[in-house]
Amino acid sequence: MPLIVQKYGGSSVADAEKIKNVARRVAETKDKGNRVVVVVSAMGDTTDELIALARQIVRQPDERELDVLLSTGEIVSSTLLSMALNELGYKAISLSGVQAGIHTDSSYSRARILEVAPKRIVRELEQGNIVIVAGFQGISRDMDITTLGRGGSDTTAVALAAALKAKVCEIYTDVEGVFTADPRLVPEAQKLSEIGYEEMLELATYGAKVIHPRAMELGEVYNIPILVATSFSKAPGTLIHGGVSMEVRNKVRGIAHDVNVAKITVVGVPDRPGIAAALFEPLAQVNINVDTIVQNASINNITDLTFTVARSDLNKAMSIVEPVARFIGAKECVSDAALAKVSIIGTGMQNTPGYAAKMFRALYEEGINIQLITTSEIRITCIIAEDRVKDALRAIHKAFELEKV
Ligand code: ASP
Ligand code: MG
């Protein structure tokens, strides 16, 4: 019997009616002759609410306690879905991350999965149960509950699909699939019927919210076909897989954007070995992710160094960088918090000139100033003012004729 892993996000299980709807969809999958493992997120905004609750008690909640608290959100939705399935006459059982055999390291709030030991899941499947697993959580070697980072239920789902050798991992959410750009900002955006792993990984990393980048990484490594679709209708979704044809691959496939961007410039940095390490090591130590880094060629042995961080990390980053900058003899530190990243992505860009020029021209014709540019083999990213994102997306979408896919 084929095995399917389905994951339902927070908006798909936001209330009792929606949970009953999910139960019907799961039941249908079972009726088609599949074994089914379901991974659920916490209901609606539960995770945010639990964080806010903890912060009413203490400004910086203890990491270990916070992870236990947050893990309860997914426990709640898993039990309710199991009850809803029982109510429809189906055998189902809910399992916490621990019971499901999700073993992680012990970095609270951002634990990484070390191993999946799905013995219990297999046993329950053999008994004819639909297995509902609480997403986003696992257990460390010390038997402490950990969480996998915000949006981590996707990662749980793909990890289980890999461990159980599922036929497909289906990720259900409130959008119909992967679009050429965010359809809320670009009305012309088109749904893609398929996309390759590398492209989806870049799209997700650079702001497309449909699937978590870590889940994509796992999907690619274990070659798990991943379907992204909505739980609110029967609309066909987007299949992410490794066998996308050359012709489709040979284009810009999508535009991602991210408005959670701030930049810091250290002005007048002396140009000598060790400076970059001195600046970035302390940021790494407190787990601040530095994204784009640009250092200009120096004039008279003085240079400027600019980098971006998530806007939510800006204050913390400045408090670390300012004293270091003073120590190394830089002139000053300046920051800008109202920035955004806009990225075009497509494997077709590899070795083909002209993509960057076309993107820059589209922005220029809209009167949008590019502050920083970064590229990978299959991506070009421009950092621009946040209030121009919508115009930028529409202009680039048009320039690459993405409405025609
Ligand atoms: N409930 C967690 C969050 O909101 C995990 C998830 O939804 O995937 O981040
Ligand atoms: Mg959520």
Side-chain angles (χ1 to χ4, degrees), residues 7 9-11 41-48 74 150-153:
K7 180 256 169 177
S11 51
S41 286
M43 296 171 68
D45 297 326
T46 302
T47 309
D48 291 319
E74 272 70 9
R150 297 306 305 270
S153 298

Side-chain angles (χ1 to χ4, degrees), residues 124-384:
E124 297 299 342
L125 288 170
E126 277 165 4
Q127 315 252 306
N129 276 309
I130 296 168
V131 181
I132 323 287
V133 178
F136 172 60
Q137 55 186 270
I139 189 149
S140 72
R141 290 230 167 83
D142 295 333
M143 301 291 278
D144 280 322
I145 294 196
T146 54
T147 63
L148 308 180
R150 297 306 305 270
S153 298
D154 288 351
T155 309
T156 305
V158 178
L160 283 176
L164 295 163
K165 302 193 169 52
K167 189 174 87 172
V168 58
C169 181
E170 300 175 347
I171 306 271
Y172 289 104
T173 147
D174 51 4
V175 295
E176 281 186 13
V178 181
F179 282 75
T180 49
D182 186 337
R184 282 166 302 189
L185 298 181
V186 183
E188 305 81 23
Q190 301 294 314
K191 186 167 60 184
L192 298 168
S193 58
E194 57 172 359
I195 188 165
Y197 290 117
E198 312 157 82
E199 290 172 327
M200 193 60 229
L201 178 57
E202 292 271 315
L203 277 172
T205 307
Y206 284 84
K209 299 245 158 40
V210 282
I211 184 166
H212 197 281
R214 261 171 67 198
M216 271 321 306
E217 267 169 37
L218 279 179
E220 179 168 20
V221 171
Y222 293 98
N223 203 15
I224 307 289
I226 299 173
L227 177 78
V228 178
T230 175
S231 65
F232 298 127
S233 77
K234 294 264 145 115
T238 303
L239 188 66
I240 308 164
H241 64 125
V244 178
S245 76
M246 264 330 256
E247 201 171 339
V248 174
R249 290 169 68 99
N250 223 3
K251 292 187 182 123
V252 169
R253 295 285 281 151
I255 313 173
H257 76 282
D258 180 359
V259 293
N260 183 16
V261 182
K263 95 175 166 188
I264 297 178
T265 301
V266 189
V267 183
V269 183
D271 190 12
R272 58 179 147 83
I275 294 289
L279 277 168
F280 294 120
E281 270 165 8
L283 290 172
Q285 268 158 22
V286 295
N287 261 306
I288 292 181
N289 202 17
V290 173
D291 188 53
T292 309
I293 303 176
V294 196
Q295 184 187 302
N296 219 330
S298 68
I299 301 173
N300 298 329
N301 286 325
I302 297 282
T303 182
D304 295 341
L305 203 147
T306 299
F307 58 94
T308 62
V309 294
R311 189 176 301 154
S312 37
D313 284 338
L314 178 60
N315 290 340
K316 198 168 169 192
M318 278 298 267
S319 72
I320 289 167
V321 170
E322 273 177 328
V324 179
R326 236 174 289 133
F327 181 74
I328 59 181
K331 208 170 127 225
E332 61 175 337
C333 285
V334 291
S335 68
D336 183 347
L339 297 178
K341 270 185 266 188
V342 173
S343 308
I344 59 170
I345 285 145
T347 41
M349 274 186 243
Q350 259 157 326
N351 312 319
T352 316
Y355 286 95
K358 198 177 212 174
M359 181 180 191
F360 302 157
R361 170 154 291 276
L363 292 172
Y364 161 65
E365 282 171 358
E366 274 298 309
I368 296 170
N369 186 36
I370 303 170
Q371 303 205 15
L372 297 169
I373 300 163
T374 65
T375 63
S376 81
E377 276 169 13
I378 65 164
R379 170 185 52 82
I380 302 166
T381 300
C382 293
I383 294 179
I384 61 169

